[in-house]
Amino acid sequence: MTARKPLRRGLRAPTPPEPESAAGPSHALRLAGTVLANTTLLTALLYYFGLVYTQTYFIYFRVHYTLLGQTPDEIFGRGVDGVLLPLTAAAGAALLFLVLTRFLKIRLGEDSWARLLRICSPVAGILGLALLTVTTAIALDPEPLRDRPGAPGISFAIGVLMVLFSWRHWTSRRTGSTRSSVAELVTGYVLVSIGLFWAVGDYSGAVGTSRAFEASGLITTRPAATLYSAESLNLTASGVQQVKCADPESAYKYRYTGLKLLLQSSGQYVFLPANWRASTGVAFVIPKTDKLRLEFGPPRSVPPPGC
């Protein structure tokens, strides 16, 4: 057995490497925290945009959405409808921009690419400031772009990105550093997020109105609903008929025809007249109780006389 050589003075023994598992749990916790935070944010956004969608949808039928007690699942489902297209468009535009930038940088070479950036930087700054000025004016008076939902918010976000790009390129040429400060990154992130939030909110509201318009055009194709009630509901509208049953022993003494069921949610029925029109139509919100009974038939069926 050979003796170990003593260490020379001034040298230290190498520190044994830490086991890999020591950093594993903390890294996994940080990763899990990031994922959970993003999931919470996405859930909140889906709920908000679904709520905007729900408001505009039922406003079209002149019903306040708070009367219906919509469940979170219903609101989340509408939120997906209002967010899916904007998220897809934003992701596609970002991917296209990155691919095009990489292609031009490789194709042109370093010198030509730097020359192109010097030309585009001031142009982007001027256009960005113009977009920010216009969208700020639209925020104060949104009427000019009322029929272009999402356009003001997208223009605001693009304007912020253009101004940041121009500013970053100008400062990098002056200082020689391409790193952005924390303040610049945070400010840019917040402003771009505000623009995208604005755009998706407008779009979700427009989608709600559009879906309500589509639903109103299909009212005549919905099954005919006959509503039986133990008490008079006083449903008065064009095309809605009330018949009082002659049998005194009948559990349901009133029958209402000429109705279409639009929605049943959280113990509430929403009925529309079969000839509902956006200009003059009314909606009936009726609580679901044991004193009501529903029958459905073909869309244009005529109920028999009596009860």
Side-chain angles (χ1 to χ4, degrees):
M1 182 176 181
T2 59
R4 295 178 59 184
K5 294 181 180 180
L7 295 173
R8 290 182 295 175
R9 183 174 297 176
L11 296 179
R12 294 182 180 179
T15 303
E18 296 182 358
E20 296 183 0
S21 59
S26 61
H27 177 71
L29 289 176
R30 288 196 299 269
L31 181 60
T34 302
V35 173
L36 289 177
N38 292 335
T39 302
T40 302
L41 177 61
L42 180 59
T43 302
L45 290 176
L46 283 177
Y47 187 86
Y48 172 78
F49 294 130
L51 197 60
V52 172
Y53 180 117
T54 300
Q55 291 177 357
T56 57
Y57 182 90
F58 288 106
I59 283 175
Y60 186 86
F61 296 105
R62 301 184 181 88
V63 176
H64 201 282
Y65 78 99
T66 56
L67 297 174
L68 307 177
Q70 295 280 277
T71 64
D73 289 342
E74 292 173 310
I75 294 177
F76 282 136
R78 298 191 184 102
V80 172
D81 190 14
V83 170
L84 186 60
L85 184 59
L87 286 182
T88 303
L95 179 61
L96 180 62
F97 175 78
L98 293 175
V99 171
L100 182 61
T101 302
R102 179 63 61 86
F103 173 78
L104 289 177
K105 191 172 183 179
I106 296 175
R107 185 74 175 176
L108 297 177
E110 293 295 335
D111 295 338
S112 298
W113 175 251
R115 191 180 307 113
L116 179 63
L117 290 181
R118 285 195 298 270
I119 296 173
C120 293
S121 176
V123 175
I126 295 173
L127 291 178
L129 290 175
L131 285 176
L132 293 179
T133 303
V134 171
T135 51
T136 301
I138 291 174
L140 300 176
D141 182 17
E143 192 60 34
L145 287 181
R146 184 74 68 181
D147 297 331
R148 299 289 186 272
I154 289 293
S155 300
F156 182 83
I158 293 176
V160 171
L161 290 174
M162 285 183 170
V163 171
L164 289 177
F165 164 73
S166 180
W167 169 256
R168 187 64 254 157
H169 186 262
W170 183 81
T171 55
S172 64
R173 291 182 60 188
R174 294 295 183 274
T175 63
S177 174
T178 59
R179 298 184 61 183
S180 299
S181 65
V182 176
E184 290 175 353
L185 293 176
V186 172
T187 303
Y189 176 81
V190 171
L191 291 176
V192 172
S193 299
I194 290 174
L196 295 178
F197 192 87
W198 180 7
V200 178
D202 285 350
Y203 177 79
S204 297
V207 170
T209 303
S210 176
R211 295 292 185 266
F213 176 78
E214 294 173 1
S216 66
L218 299 174
I219 289 176
T220 56
T221 64
R222 291 175 176 266
T226 302
L227 176 62
Y228 292 88
S229 175
E231 301 174 352
S232 176
L233 300 177
N234 295 319
L235 304 183
T236 56
S238 175
V240 179
Q241 297 180 354
Q242 173 183 289
V243 176
K244 186 175 182 179
C245 300
D247 185 2
E249 301 297 329
S250 175
Y252 303 97
K253 300 183 182 304
Y254 295 89
R255 186 186 71 179
Y256 297 88
T257 58
L259 296 170
K260 302 285 186 174
L261 180 63
L262 176 67
L263 177 76
Q264 187 273 320
S265 177
S266 296
Q268 300 283 353
Y269 291 120
V270 180
F271 290 99
L272 300 176
N275 58 357
W276 190 89
R277 296 292 182 272
S279 57
T280 58
V282 298
F284 303 107
V285 180
I286 302 174
K288 181 180 179 181
T289 66
D290 295 336
K291 296 182 178 181
L292 300 178
R293 180 167 65 87
L294 288 175
E295 288 184 1
F296 296 95
R300 301 184 184 277
S301 62
V302 178
C307 291

